Amino acid sequence: MSTADYKTMTTAEIREDFLRFFEEKGCKLCPSSSLVPDDPSLLLTNAGMNQFKEYYQGKRTMAEIGACSCQKCLRTNDIDNIGDATHLSFFEMLGNFSFGGYTKADAIAWAYDFITSPEHLGLPKDRLYMTVFEDDDEAIELWHAQGVPYDHISRLGADDNFWAAGPTGPCGPCSEIYFDQGEEFGCGKPTCGPGCDDCNRFLEFWNLVFTQYDRQEDGSMPDLPHKNIDTGMGLERIAAIMQHKSTNYDGDLLQGLIAVGARLSGRSYGDDEAADRSLRIVADHARAVTFMIGDGILPGNEGRGYVLRRLLRRAVYHGRLLGIEGAFLTTYVDEVCRLMGDVYPAIVENRSLIEGIVAAEEERFGATLAAGEESLANELEGLAEGAALPGAVAFKLHDTYGFPIDLTREICAAAGHEVDMDAFDACMTEQRERARASANRDAWGTFNDVWTELSDTLPATEFRGYDANESAARVLAIVADGASVERAGAGDEVEVVLDATPFYAEMGGQVGDTGVITASGARLRVTDTKAKGGLYAHEATVEEGELAVGDEVTAAIDAGRRELIRRNHTATHLLDAALKRVLGDHVSQAGSLVAPDRLRFDFTHFEAVTTDELARIEGMVNAEIFAAEPIVTRVMGLEEAKASGAVALFGEKYGDVVRVVSTGESDAPFSRELCGGTHARNTADLGLFKIVSESSVGSNARRIEAVTSMGAIEYVDERLLALDEAARELRCRPADVAERAAALQRELHESRKALEAATTGAGSNQVAAAWSGAVQLDGYKAVVARLEGLGGKEMRSAWDGIRDAAGGEPVACVIASATPDGKVALLAGGTDAAVAAGFSAGDVIKRIAGLVGGRGGGRPNMAQAGGSDASGIDAALDAAREALGI
């Protein structure tokens, strides 16, 4: 079968043609949603339909007949298979969708038109095959009406061609479209056809799902009120077909990334299958990592962060297998941005951040690999000759250190050991089952709590708090103990929904407002305000009277508290701008808290901020405060806001219309951000800005805590008071406190050195007594003794004292001590001459550590151990004497 009997199209051409085709059919063209889904039941966006879930549920409607999109997706449930011909972690999914707007017949007709029309894909009709659900006679006839022969349509069972949201709920048949790659890809069996598990001849590239039923608990499936269409076509797969290739990795985009690895490693793609697989894995993972960070995901030890870190580390490891020296993943980031930045500008906008995080993680994983190798070496040292490394140990290395199993096997083989892969696989299976149980939660979720019901029936709360501290309002709902009630009386704790409010609901890091709600004969103390979808829930206690749904009320915030919050919120904007100027454009907000008494600002950065940098940052913020710049707020379109230079929060999702907050009227203000919070009227309102602390909150994130206005005054007063008290205790002037404290530290250090010499040095009573009991062995003297009250550091000093007492003669020791905290410290040490004569500190410690409830080891000339059972010290020393032949 010829591979040149149809045209060739690039990935970009296919993407553009698909979207234009369905937009012309009347579908709304929707941009790809973030890899971080709005749906809390999903870890990552894994399908085109994710962003349309509420349309399928009937919770939202669309004026157009349907939608189309090219959705970036990420799946890692088959991560061990990534790198073969088909599996990818990151991929693009072309899809067209209907929420009752167009029919199953339309979906099939349009799909066939798009894939066969010469103006579009123009695939040969004789190489196309369709599968349908085994009972879906309607789909068979619809395909046949398009001209598809019956012998190119086959039926598959529910495992392949029936989709369901869960045991009950929306469900329906699927119809898949296959491309015949040719007999050379087949298994040769007479039964070979679409869906064959034994070969890759028939390649499925588009799945049409017809969600038309509503399965009940009794198994019946009545029709849904409106029937839905959900289709998905893998862009990488159809690109390979349209470029006359046989695998996902042979398309133009991924080949461009594979070429990066080939250049860096000096390998030629196609020469060696093991190297080819590593080249594919690095290409795939590097693209996934770039897009994940671009959508606001940061490396971590759980959830999305763990997925990102695992992909990144797997890419680094396979780069190592290819022989790539040093850090290299930022080179891939550059190429991903070059190849895909036009379609997905977020990766270009966040390029410096992506590269910074990737570089930091690469460096950190280098240290992790070193730690894993050391741990593995210790495990191998304790194995008998030829024994297999336990699978649980290999799994711990994999799970704790991120140490790849392939590398574990390679190191073990070099040392003459195998890995118990059956046990390792069992551990991996257990982990996958746990992950699958978590991941397979009903993606459609549950929607029957009280706030969902209220959101369906009530209009969104109107926020009036930008300009007013008090507002008239009407009670729309009262919630008590999770249920909607008509009224509440004195003492009741409730959540009140008003049609309009000056209360700001907690969001974007800004805490919710407090205050009072009053009505005729009633008064409620509001202790917090939370957003529940479009509704504002005023958490309150009824202090007097009774409140009922429909009552007219007056809502008034605590204006003094709000004023402090405003100032701290504006300070976070100034701080963000200063951080970018001092540390670099990679800085992006990663979280915040805006409270009345303080602010907390988390940001992406890869090392501690120096004292000098903190001083510059604080100085910049205060300079803006002293400049008394007005705070200017404007409402505009999102694209206009971005064009004006407004900073958008990393990973945040925005609507089409946004509020832009700037310091001053300048075209290039010190700070300009998209923000829906409340702010000071002028930077001068902040009075003073003081940084209280800077710390780490993760591998790629730092935290600054700071205060302004009254909080800054309180902070300075407290520090001055503490300084005055310290000066009194030190009997010096406040200006001399630092010098006086340093002098006392030097005195304390010298005193400790003198005490240590007196207790552990060669002239100390304990060491002298131990040395007096030294026994002459073959080639060296040996000291085996019990000391008292020494910890690990002091034990090493005692060994130094014994060595000094020996005056240069060959000597070894085994000493033990009950530590001040009730534990046990063991130490064995020997001079080079003693080791040459046969002494091994590591062997002795291994032999005796268990007698004190501990474990340890080390080199022949020095080994230490800790223990928990001081009653075993004498037995341990007796065992040491026996081992040395004393």
Side-chain angles (χ1 to χ4, degrees), residues 24-81:
E24 290 174 352
K25 294 295 185 185
C27 293
K28 180 180 180 180
L29 175 57
C30 297
S32 172
S33 62
S34 169
L35 286 173
V36 180
D38 289 326
D39 186 347
S41 70
L42 291 174
L43 186 65
L44 292 157
T45 298
N46 60 15
M49 62 77 59
N50 291 164
Q51 68 168 306
F52 302 111
K53 178 174 173 180
E54 290 190 339
Y55 292 99
Y56 282 117
Q57 294 170 326
K59 297 174 70 65
R60 297 179 66 185
T61 59
M62 184 178 288
E64 294 82 359
I65 64 170
C68 61
S69 70
C70 181
Q71 175 65 50
K72 51 193 176 185
C73 301
L74 202 136
R75 298 177 186 173
T76 57
N77 52 313
D78 292 320
I79 191 169
D80 292 331
N81 293 324

Side-chain angles (χ1 to χ4, degrees), residues 182-255:
E183 294 181 1
E184 62 271 26
F185 291 91
C187 58
K189 295 180 180 178
T191 57
C192 185
C196 179
D197 294 327
D198 297 322
C199 67
N200 293 319
R201 175 174 176 175
F202 296 94
L203 190 65
E204 183 265 317
F205 65 91
W206 201 352
N207 186 18
L208 315 181
V209 180
F210 311 117
T211 313
Q212 57 195 75
Y213 304 122
D214 186 11
R215 182 149 51 195
Q216 307 298 305
E217 290 187 1
D218 63 2
S220 62
M221 293 192 297
D223 287 348
L224 285 167
H226 62 256
K227 298 177 181 180
N228 302 317
I229 306 294
D230 167 18
T231 87
M233 175 163 56
L235 180 56
E236 290 81 3
R237 186 165 296 182
I238 190 60
I241 292 172
M242 293 306 300
Q243 292 162 30
H244 308 273
K245 305 295 184 180
S246 59
T247 80
N248 286 340
Y249 289 93
D250 291 334
D252 51 354
L253 280 182
L254 284 167
Q255 277 297 303

Side-chain angles (χ1 to χ4, degrees), residues 47 55 135 243 376 455-456 501 528 703 775 784 832 880:
Y55 292 99
D135 295 335
Q243 292 162 30
L376 178 56
S455 296
D456 287 343
T501 182
D528 203 353
R703 170 174 292 172
V775 177
V784 180
D832 291 343

Side-chain angles (χ1 to χ4, degrees), residues 16 55 87 138 166 212 256 273 296 305 313 332 384 408 605 643 653 687 729 748 750 760 805 816 823 865:
E16 181 181 357
Y55 292 99
H87 288 85
E138 179 189 14
Q212 57 195 75
E273 177 50 34
R313 291 184 168 188
Y332 279 89
T408 299
H605 191 52
K653 304 176 183 70
E729 290 294 325
L748 179 60
E750 293 300 322
T760 63
K823 305 292 185 180

Side-chain angles (χ1 to χ4, degrees), residues 553-706:
V553 300
T554 297
I557 65 170
D558 182 336
R561 180 177 181 271
R562 161 74 78 77
E563 193 59 41
L564 295 175
I565 294 171
R566 286 178 184 268
R567 296 168 185 175
N568 282 338
H569 198 157
T570 299
T572 64
H573 285 216
L574 299 178
L575 175 58
D576 187 22
L579 286 166
K580 286 179 168 64
R581 284 167 169 78
V582 174
L583 302 181
D585 290 338
H586 65 275
V587 168
S588 185
Q589 181 174 334
S592 68
L593 170 69
V594 180
D597 58 335
R598 70 194 190 283
L599 65 96
R600 185 181 71 220
F601 192 83
D602 297 346
F603 57 98
T604 52
H605 191 52
F606 317 114
E607 59 188 359
V609 185
T610 67
T611 301
D612 176 66
E613 288 169 336
L614 287 173
R616 290 166 58 198
I617 291 162
E618 188 177 273
M620 280 187 182
V621 174
N622 280 314
E624 284 299 301
I625 292 172
F626 303 150
E629 294 280 3
I631 304 301
V632 179
T633 301
R634 292 191 175 95
V635 177
M636 62 183 74
L638 178 59
E639 294 308 315
E640 180 187 358
K642 290 183 177 179
S644 74
V647 174
L649 294 190
F650 184 48
E652 187 66 39
K653 304 176 183 70
Y654 295 96
D656 294 334
V657 178
V658 293
R659 295 179 79 247
V660 177
V661 179
S662 307
T663 53
E665 298 281 0
S666 166
D667 289 338
F670 182 77
S671 169
R672 175 171 285 161
E673 289 193 24
L674 307 184
C675 184
T678 62
H679 284 274
R681 296 160 188 82
N682 190 291
T683 59
D685 294 348
L686 279 62
L688 179 68
F689 173 82
K690 285 296 299 179
I691 293 176
V692 175
S693 66
E694 189 275 343
S695 60
S696 170
V697 287
S699 58
N700 300 294
R702 308 295 299 179
R703 170 174 292 172
I704 283 179
E705 298 190 63

Side-chain angles (χ1 to χ4, degrees), residues 263-402:
R263 185 177 72 251
L264 292 174
S265 65
R267 304 284 190 125
S268 294
Y269 187 64
D271 286 353
D272 176 77
E273 177 50 34
D276 288 353
R277 183 171 182 270
S278 290
L279 286 169
R280 292 191 292 264
I281 287 171
V282 180
D284 169 86
H285 289 9
R287 184 170 66 153
V289 164
T290 300
F291 275 90
M292 291 179 79
I293 300 174
D295 275 355
I297 301 170
L298 298 177
N301 293 324
E302 58 184 23
R304 301 179 188 102
Y306 177 72
V307 174
L308 170 59
R309 178 164 283 162
R310 187 179 181 195
L311 289 171
L312 197 153
R313 291 184 168 188
R314 200 163 183 259
V316 172
Y317 168 61
H318 279 276
R320 176 172 174 161
L321 288 183
L322 288 166
I324 301 176
E325 299 293 336
F328 65 91
L329 277 181
T330 55
T331 306
Y332 279 89
V333 173
D334 289 343
E335 186 66 3
V336 173
C337 290
R338 187 187 72 80
L339 292 170
M340 306 185 72
D342 289 345
V343 182
Y344 301 103
I347 59 175
V348 177
E349 294 167 3
N350 294 308
R351 185 176 190 158
S352 61
L353 173 62
I354 296 168
E355 290 181 342
I357 290 174
V358 165
E361 281 291 307
E362 241 187 308
E363 180 181 358
R364 187 171 292 108
F365 185 47
T368 296
L369 278 175
E373 287 172 332
E374 181 180 353
S375 178
L376 178 56
N378 290 335
E379 294 288 347
L380 292 175
E381 192 175 335
L383 285 181
E385 184 176 350
L389 182 76
V393 172
F395 178 76
K396 181 181 178 182
L397 287 167
H398 160 83
D399 201 45
T400 302
Y401 293 101

